[in-house]
Amino acid sequence: MKTSTRRPSASRALCALLLLSPAGCSAEVSEEASSLLVIAEPPETIYGGWHEDNASRTGDRAVFVPARIDLGPARYRRTLHFGRDGSFTTLRLHPADAHYMCLGTFVALTERTLRAECDDPATGTTPVFTIQILEATEDRLVVRIATQE
């Protein structure tokens, strides 16, 4: 009988969630165990800065374009930044109409699902974002974002 040493994806997801927790950041992980913590690889094209093209939004589908593309003036334009080191940044809208950056981390749970969280300086909370990637090209990122405050 053939046996497999591959860990189930649920175990990998749990490991990633533990690493994203405050206690996990200070935990030591052996080299052997760290290979098990790679959940999935997101599409290569997501890395870098994106801002929302409000005119292209449809329903719950948000359309982002690279930050280098000029979309003209807007009262507020949501941004996302995904770093290759797992860093995550998003521009948030304050209730008093101010904009501020929320800095945190992200992990790919599957090739098309990301989990991100950031420390919100305005509220003192840690919102969690589940980002479903619907389309990812060099010039367009279409996502569905669910937020837990």
Side-chain angles (χ1 to χ4, degrees):
M1 184 167 122
K2 188 175 181 180
T3 60
S4 173
T5 59
R6 182 176 166 88
R7 298 268 190 217
S9 60
S11 295
R12 291 176 183 239
L14 178 59
C15 289
L17 294 176
L18 289 172
L19 284 178
L20 285 172
S21 73
C25 292
S26 61
E28 291 185 28
V29 179
S30 70
E31 281 186 44
E32 182 180 319
S34 66
S35 67
L36 297 175
L37 299 177
V38 175
I39 308 290
E41 292 294 327
E44 184 68 24
T45 53
I46 71 157
Y47 295 111
W50 299 88
H51 58 178
E52 189 171 8
D53 182 357
N54 297 324
S56 298
R57 182 181 187 90
T58 57
D60 63 349
R61 298 166 60 103
V63 178
F64 289 82
V65 297
R68 63 176 157 56
I69 295 176
D70 182 10
L71 294 175
R75 182 178 147 266
Y76 169 72
R77 195 177 302 284
R78 183 168 44 169
T79 66
L80 301 173
H81 185 275
F82 300 100
R84 292 186 183 282
D85 61 353
S87 61
F88 171 75
T89 307
T90 186
L91 186 66
R92 306 266 312 203
L93 180 62
H94 188 275
D97 213 24
H99 309 123
Y100 61 95
M101 298 303 284
C102 190
L103 309 173
T105 59
F106 83 96
V107 65
L109 299 176
T110 70
E111 186 178 298
R112 295 285 177 182
T113 304
L114 308 177
R115 180 186 184 275
E117 62 180 42
C118 61
D119 295 321
D120 189 318
T123 64
T125 62
T126 305
V128 176
F129 307 93
T130 301
I131 304 168
Q132 182 183 8
I133 301 170
L134 305 173
E135 178 185 335
T137 66
E138 289 181 13
D139 295 321
R140 183 175 157 100
L141 177 63
V142 181
V143 296
R144 185 173 291 129
I145 302 175
T147 306
Q148 294 175 334
E149 295 287 337

